[in-house]
């Protein structure tokens, strides 16, 4: 869906006092935002609820952020929903998350159609339960011709495993004679990462006060601006997103060089 000034204004009306919506430069909105959605469990525990309620509330937060990204004209939103390490959680929580992914993908297909969102999957799908994998496959095929926001969902994703997989693919090409080792450059590796052909994220947001990458997009985040917030993911809303983008826009990105004004 093409950016609409009216839809944007309506979605970001009535801002809280500390959010200077007029201060945003709509021409410098991040093209790609990556999010580590952390704090669902603590959100639930603070309310004496099971962790599952936190994950369900996390889905609502994600829907708001997807819509906000569409209204802002963001090109891609990548979210870390389940890491390769998350299999170590209690079985009940893993099962609940897998069925939540499946049910959310089905329930939110109308949202993806309405907002022209194209789904992308990052990770090893082969290890997912059959029904979860089937819903991802359905979501991918049903949204394949959408041209608005790309929503990349990382499930059973680990960045080191992703890089090792790329190395294996390239090594096989070399042993079969299809490729020479001298041709392995940064672009060749990038082409084999799950995120291809998305541009690297401009902005990474991690919620819940934790300040680490947890094996997420280690290659792709090399020059990404990072914004950490204490807000727990289920409480994260369009205004928190706007705050993060305003923080991002106040930073000078130098990519290892010097900026014009220095
Ligand atoms: C981290 O919080 C969050 C997760 C492991 C799951 C995130 C998943 C969603 C928000 C659902 C998204 C749905 C789709 C379809 C992509 P935590 O449990 O680690 O929280 P804690 O650190 O407070 O325990």
């Amino acid at each position: 869906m093409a950016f609409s000034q009216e839809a944007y204004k309506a979605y970001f009306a009535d801002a809280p006092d500390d959010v200077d919506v007029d201060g945003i430069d709509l021409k410098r909105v991040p093209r790609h935002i990556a999010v580590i959605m952390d704090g669902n469990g603590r959100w639930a525990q603070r309310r004496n609820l099971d962790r599952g309620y936190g994950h369900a509330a996390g889905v609502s937060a994600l829907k708001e952020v997807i819509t906000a990204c569409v209204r802002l004209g963001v090109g891609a939103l990548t979210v870390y929903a389940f890491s390769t390490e998350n299999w170590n959680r209690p079985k009940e929580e893993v099962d609940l998350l897998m069925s939540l992914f499946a049910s959310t993908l089905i329930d939110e297909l109308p949202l993806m159609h309405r907002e022209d969102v194209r789904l992308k999957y990052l990770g090893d799908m082969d290890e997912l339960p059959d029904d979860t994998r089937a819903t991802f496959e359905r979501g991918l095929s049903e949204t394949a011709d959408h041209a608005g926001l790309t929503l990349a969902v990382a499930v059973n994703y680990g960045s080191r495993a992703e890089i090792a997989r790329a190395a294996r693919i390239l090594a096989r090409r070399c042993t079969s004679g299809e490729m020479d080792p001298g041709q392995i450059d940064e672009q060749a590796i990038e082409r084999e990462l799950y995120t291809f052909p998305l541009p690297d994220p401009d902005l990474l947001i991690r919620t819940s006060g934790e300040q680490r990458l947890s094996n997420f997009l280690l290659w792709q985040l090399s020059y990404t601006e990072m914004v950490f917030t204490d807000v727990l993911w289920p409480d994260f809303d369009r205004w928190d997103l706007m705050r993060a983008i305003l923080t991002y826009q106040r930073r000078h990105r130098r990519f290892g060089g010097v900026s014009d004004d220095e």
Side-chain angles (χ1 to χ4, degrees):
M1 195 177 296
F3 173 79
S4 147
Q5 186 79 29
E6 291 71 37
Y8 160 73
K9 284 224 147 123
Y11 200 70
F12 287 97
D14 304 322
D17 287 347
D18 72 305
V19 182
D20 178 19
V21 175
D22 295 334
I24 194 171
D25 180 350
L26 287 170
K27 292 192 286 304
R28 285 201 309 121
V29 165
R31 276 180 311 165
H32 182 178
I33 299 177
V35 185
I36 302 179
M37 310 181 288
D38 200 5
N40 293 352
R42 275 162 285 170
W43 184 92
Q45 276 153 5
R46 282 180 198 175
R47 288 163 176 76
N48 283 323
L49 297 169
D50 286 341
R51 296 173 59 82
Y53 286 93
H55 296 313
V59 172
S60 302
L62 177 58
K63 282 165 59 182
E64 174 153 342
V65 169
I66 292 169
T67 308
C69 284
V70 171
R71 297 290 172 271
L72 280 158
V74 171
L77 172 68
T78 295
V79 293
Y80 204 9
F82 193 90
S83 70
T84 44
E85 291 73 32
N86 285 151
W87 295 107
N88 298 325
R89 293 191 176 205
K91 184 177 179 315
E92 308 83 76
E93 184 169 347
V94 170
D95 291 349
L96 183 141
L97 280 166
M98 289 298 150
S99 60
L100 185 68
F101 298 145
S103 58
T104 303
L105 286 171
I106 298 293
D107 292 349
E108 302 311 329
L109 271 173
L111 169 87
M112 293 196 250
H113 287 308
R114 192 173 64 242
E115 302 291 352
D116 205 18
V117 173
R118 180 190 174 119
L119 187 68
K120 186 173 171 67
Y121 174 84
L122 313 182
D124 184 354
M125 221 191 263
D126 291 341
E127 291 173 11
L128 300 184
D130 290 347
D131 54 341
T132 308
R133 192 179 55 245
T135 53
F136 269 108
E137 280 165 355
R138 181 173 161 198
L140 292 172
S141 72
E142 285 205 21
T143 64
D145 61 350
H146 291 176
L149 175 78
T150 297
L151 172 66
V153 179
V155 169
N156 191 27
Y157 172 87
S159 184
R160 289 180 175 179
E162 175 188 38
I163 295 168
R165 174 180 170 272
R168 265 194 315 277
I169 293 170
L170 296 174
R172 281 199 196 102
R173 270 190 216 140
C174 289
T175 48
S176 73
E178 204 185 315
M179 188 178 191
D180 181 84
Q183 292 173 292
I184 299 180
D185 55 11
E186 294 181 17
Q187 283 73 33
I189 294 172
E190 262 159 28
R191 274 195 296 273
E192 304 310 329
L193 299 179
Y194 293 124
T195 40
F196 186 78
L198 297 178
D200 288 344
D202 302 299
L203 169 64
L204 170 83
I205 301 168
R206 182 167 188 157
T207 57
S208 90
E210 310 292 348
Q211 303 195 1
R212 55 178 172 269
L213 294 180
S214 303
N215 203 13
F216 188 48
L217 304 178
L218 301 180
W219 176 287
Q220 297 89 334
L221 296 176
S222 296
Y223 285 101
T224 300
E225 293 296 330
M226 301 189 190
V227 172
F228 299 99
T229 168
D230 288 338
V231 175
L232 302 178
W233 176 252
D235 291 328
F236 193 89
D237 62 13
R238 69 192 80 181
W239 307 115
D240 295 307
L241 180 71
M242 185 61 89
R243 287 184 189 97
I245 293 175
L246 288 166
T247 301
Y248 161 84
Q249 291 194 338
R250 282 194 297 270
R251 299 216 183 132
H252 294 269
R253 300 185 78 194
R254 292 189 293 269
F255 298 98
V258 289
S259 34
D260 296 345
D261 53 354
E262 284 176 281

